[in-house]
Amino acid sequence: MSNQTLQQPRRTTCPYCGVGCGVMATPQAGDREADSPPVSGDKAHPANFGRLCVKGSSLHETTGSQGQTLYPRVLGSRVSWDRALDEVAGAIREAVESHGPESVAFYLSGQLLTEDYYAANKLAKGFIGTPHVDTNSRLCMSSAVAAHKRAFGEDVVPGCYEDLELADLLVLTGSNAAWNHPVLYQRMKAADRPGRRVVVIDPRRTATAELADLHLALKPGTDTLLFNGLLVWLADTGALDRGYIEKHCQGFDEALAAARCGAFAPQQVARACDLPEQDVVTFYRWFADTARTVTAFSQGINQSSTGTDKGNAIINCHLATGRIGRSGAGPFSLTGQPNAMGGREVGGLANTLAAHMEYDTPGARERVGGFWGTDRIPRAPGHKAVELFDAVHRGEIKVLWVMGTNPAVSLPDSSHIREAMKHCPVVIVSDCIARTDTTELADILLPAEGWGEKDGTVTNSERCISRQRRFLPAAGDARADWRILAEVGKRLGHGDAFRWATAADVFREHARLSALDNDGARQFDLSSLAHLTDDQYEQLSPVQWPVNGKHPRGCARLYADGRFSTNDGRARFVAVQPRVPAAQPEQAGEVIINTGRIRDQWHTMTRTARSPRLVQHRSEPFIDLHPDDVVHLGLEAGGLARLTGRNDQGAFLGRVRAEPGQRRGEVFVPIHWNGQFSLGALASSLIVPVTDPISGQPESKYGVVSVRPVHAAWHGRLIRPMSAPGGWQADYWTRVPQAHCDAWWVAGCQPVAWQRQVIRWLGGAPDLVLEDSASGLYRAARLHNGRLQGVLLVARRADDLPDTGWLSSLFDGRTLSDQERRGLLSARDVDVADTGPLVCSCFGIGELQIEAAIREGADDVEALGHRLKCGTNCGSCVPELKACLAAARAEPVEAIP
Ligand SMILES: Nc1nc2c(c(=O)[nH]1)N[C@H]1C(S)=C(S)[C@@H](COP(=O)(O)OP(=O)(O)OC[C@H]3O[C@@H](n4cnc5c(=O)[nH]c(N)nc54)[C@H](O)[C@@H]3O)O[C@H]1N2
Ligand SMILES: Nc1nc2c(c(=O)[nH]1)N[C@H]1C(S)=C(S)[C@@H](COP(=O)(O)OP(=O)(O)OC[C@H]3O[C@@H](n4cnc5c(=O)[nH]c(N)nc54)[C@H](O)[C@@H]3O)O[C@H]1N2
Ligand code: SF4
Ligand SMILES: [Mo]
């Protein structure tokens, strides 16, 4: 056994969602291209107790250095670090001298570690003196942040994960936790017991709704109406906690009066939200009757032009019933990114200063300036993300440094964003992945260390700080983001302020700042961690802030004593007037667009698409519509359609899926595909930059678009070795990365003379061809020295194309056997059975296997799990297993002859 395999696994934290699961990973000394051993869940971590979802358990498939940013580049050419850092510092210095500090801007990310984030905030606000530092958390959490601040006086999530298990009523609104916070969802599910109820509020019937006793498929954007109605119901049915309201809160009468201004009786609410009245009443009754209620909310609440009000309408109901900071009770904002919370702690948002101190907190500017040793801190907040890129577009920003985010894909109105970056004199991009839609726009590209290569901390949704630990050597010359920032700080003449040797040094400074003059006014206080030794930092166990004299081991629930972070210690009710999105469909063919996530991809796919396992669950961009809409809009399930925005801004081309869980007149599209993976399937290109007036968060969940069928004359699959040259063209394509090759799903609107064109597609003349022009079938394969160089499969209908999993496996460089050659054009090993489309990613179980098991008597999910193991790891395919079972029940089992 080699030394390598004898290495002890290291504890680290998953770099994806805000659940923040602990991961065990085995160090790789030297040769990182060797197959990394699979990661596993950390049984000791309080977020997951050993569980991982499919994204977490595929992490080892995403760490190879192929495709990573290896070296710094200036205008495309590889340069030394010295040169790159000189260029960055030089550009910043010049911009500040010629145009003032406000001509420099930073756009950061909730995927940076706290140490990176702290360094960026300190360099920008403290030493360059620009207020224009914002982050992708603006698109994600800023409405929740603003709601917390309005209600509690500080951005605090009062509860913890255990509350989601203890709650007797669990309300999940605007959250598809089954797919987006899977391990937490599994915890909620495992906590199921008689009497526990779950309400899911989401216009779509999602996988999460499987857990629901009541699903409220409300009209998009109407959450405030629903919760305002609830507040009135609570008041009118004697369900208020008057004592709590009087002792610990302010502003109740105004909030109630505001709620009474709109539609508030269940019947009116039902009409306005487009829900059955009985369902509204049931929800209100359950809420009124259940002391232990948690309302968990996510992007269906935050990503709205009224996101902050939606958040406060929810919090109002919890304050009114005194259900906050108690076990099993509270409003619970589910954070998206792994370190969205850490970024909020350091002050990464443009409107905050540092360590939960605001620009307008009396004395804060001077206090932070004194601590950092600077007098350059700006006086007022800077631009929020959408405004920031508008300023870039207007030419006001001369140097833009984008770090750990892909704004060309994720910000609304992506063509405007791309134009802004193209025209910006100097765009610096730090990313661990070389080719993204944003790195393509970089003048200076900096290789950042990625997960596994870097050291630091992240804070999850329940305020739990965990260590991310290095277990891989850096790819190429990559460096940690905080180091890059510190080097630039030094070059700008601020050596003293950036003299950190390790991530531990940065963390201690961050912890000391949180403690500075903190007499309990700010809950965010890490004073007990300010003097960790290097060793203690290395060993740091997960801990929930605050971590201070009062709570030396951290604290699970805050505000239990009813004392909030406001000046007078009272929470604030916020009077909210319901507003609904302004744009409405008017013309025939117009529908409401909703955008969001799928189970197995992470955002812009830079990392998750590197795992062949993760591209199988949904392999191409899709458009979900109600089956009735598919018919009356003249579409075809399995066919293609194009969405276009008003004024022809943006477009989305994807596969139509008839989805009974969609409301009529509304489509859902995934946010993940972008220029690296598809032709024109950029959801954000269809989102107009309407933002919440308080938080500045874009309304990414809502827009009006037209939908039209795209009539394809043919559909195809092209499989080529990785990075094979192109030369072919199609009206539709999506790249489906495989382990040893690339698969392209393609379609065209005009017939193609394949005999002539095939050379372009396969990079040479085919060796095997099968053609049936009557049925539109064409199949060809090319070999070189017995090795496969390309396969092209074409059919008139997409449904007639075979699964290509087996073909893809033949590109591993082997010389094909006769049997394999014989199977090429039928796309399957002639001796092995086809398993059908993948359902369970964890165990690689396909639909045909599941159907066979059902025929053999497996009659529920447990029985399927018993036989095939499907659904027994992360559990996120359970809804699909249920659908297979339901479909089988609906079919006549066997006709008796
Ligand atoms: N697999 C996966 N997991 C992820 C991520 C990922 O990219 N992939 N990203 C992470 C990040 S950063 C985030 S922010 C979270 C997001 O996690 P979620 O918020 O759960 O994710 P979304 O799919 O964006 O949106 C949630 C739901 O809001 C619903 N919705 C839309 N409009 C409304 C409305 O008006 N009212 C209500 N009540 N609901 C509405 C949508 O139909 C959708 O089902 O996920 C995290 N986890
Ligand atoms: N229409 C629509 N738009 C949305 C949303 C939506 O629901 N609908 N959701 C919004 C939300 S909630 C979010 S969070 C955003 C997410 O959107 P983005 O932040 O743009 O998406 P990611 O793909 O996560 O981009 C992260 C980038 O950082 C890189 N990276 C990873 N680790 C590191 C590191 O340690 N250092 C550096 N320097 N780089 C690193 C990755 O390779 C990747 O390129 O999208 C938002 N946009
Ligand atoms: S639930 Fe989130 S944090 Fe946990 S393994 Fe999955 S993606 Fe990672
Ligand atoms: Mo997010």
Side-chain angles (χ1 to χ4, degrees), residues 746-766:
V746 289
C749 298
Q750 301 300 326
V752 174
W754 290 110
Q755 309 87 319
R756 266 186 283 134
Q757 292 295 325
V758 66
I759 294 177
R760 287 169 185 265
W761 290 72
L762 295 182

Side-chain angles (χ1 to χ4, degrees), residues 136-137 139-141 299 303 335-337 340 597 602-603:
N136 63 359
S137 286
L139 319 179
C140 179
M141 303 315 300
Q299 299 314 336
Q303 286 173 345
T335 42
Q337 296 176 92
R597 292 156 170 79
W602 178 261
H603 296 159

Side-chain angles (χ1 to χ4, degrees), residues 71-230:
Y71 307 105
R73 291 186 183 272
V74 174
L75 300 177
S77 304
R78 177 176 166 181
V79 298
S80 68
W81 264 115
D82 263 343
R83 165 82 198 286
L85 293 167
D86 285 346
E87 291 277 348
V88 172
I92 293 175
R93 193 180 303 113
E94 203 182 302
V96 172
E97 278 167 11
S98 313
H99 306 278
E102 301 216 355
S103 65
V104 179
F106 287 73
Y107 187 57
L108 310 172
S109 163
Q111 290 165 72
L112 296 169
L113 305 186
T114 300
E115 291 73 4
D116 302 323
Y117 233 136
Y118 178 84
N121 197 49
K122 180 177 179 183
L123 176 64
K125 289 181 189 152
F127 291 87
I128 296 171
T130 176
H132 303 315
V133 182
D134 210 35
T135 136
N136 63 359
S137 286
R138 181 70 58 197
L139 319 179
C140 179
M141 303 315 300
S142 62
S143 295
V145 170
H148 289 154
K149 284 189 190 170
R150 288 206 296 187
F152 311 143
E154 187 176 354
D155 175 21
V156 169
V157 174
C160 59
Y161 292 163
E162 199 189 28
D163 294 332
L164 298 161
E165 297 167 324
L166 294 175
D168 295 320
L169 175 64
L170 185 56
V171 183
L172 286 155
T173 177
S175 155
N176 183 10
W179 282 10
N180 302 324
H181 296 94
V183 167
L184 198 52
Y185 176 80
Q186 290 306 321
R187 286 181 61 171
M188 300 179 215
K189 197 168 161 203
D192 205 10
R193 57 190 179 273
R196 197 275 299 261
R197 287 180 178 131
V198 178
V199 178
V200 170
I201 306 172
D202 191 312
R204 302 187 298 144
R205 186 169 178 88
T206 59
T208 305
E210 289 292 320
L211 195 61
D213 300 288
L214 177 67
H215 170 217
L216 301 178
L218 84 181
K219 185 174 164 183
T222 59
D223 304 78
T224 305
L225 272 157
L226 184 67
F227 281 91
N228 268 1
L230 174 59

Side-chain angles (χ1 to χ4, degrees), residues 14 16-21 51-53 55-57 180-184:
C14 177
Y16 298 127
C17 83
V19 178
C21 296
R51 296 184 183 91
L52 290 180
C53 76
K55 291 185 297 302
S57 48
N180 302 324
H181 296 94
V183 167
L184 198 52

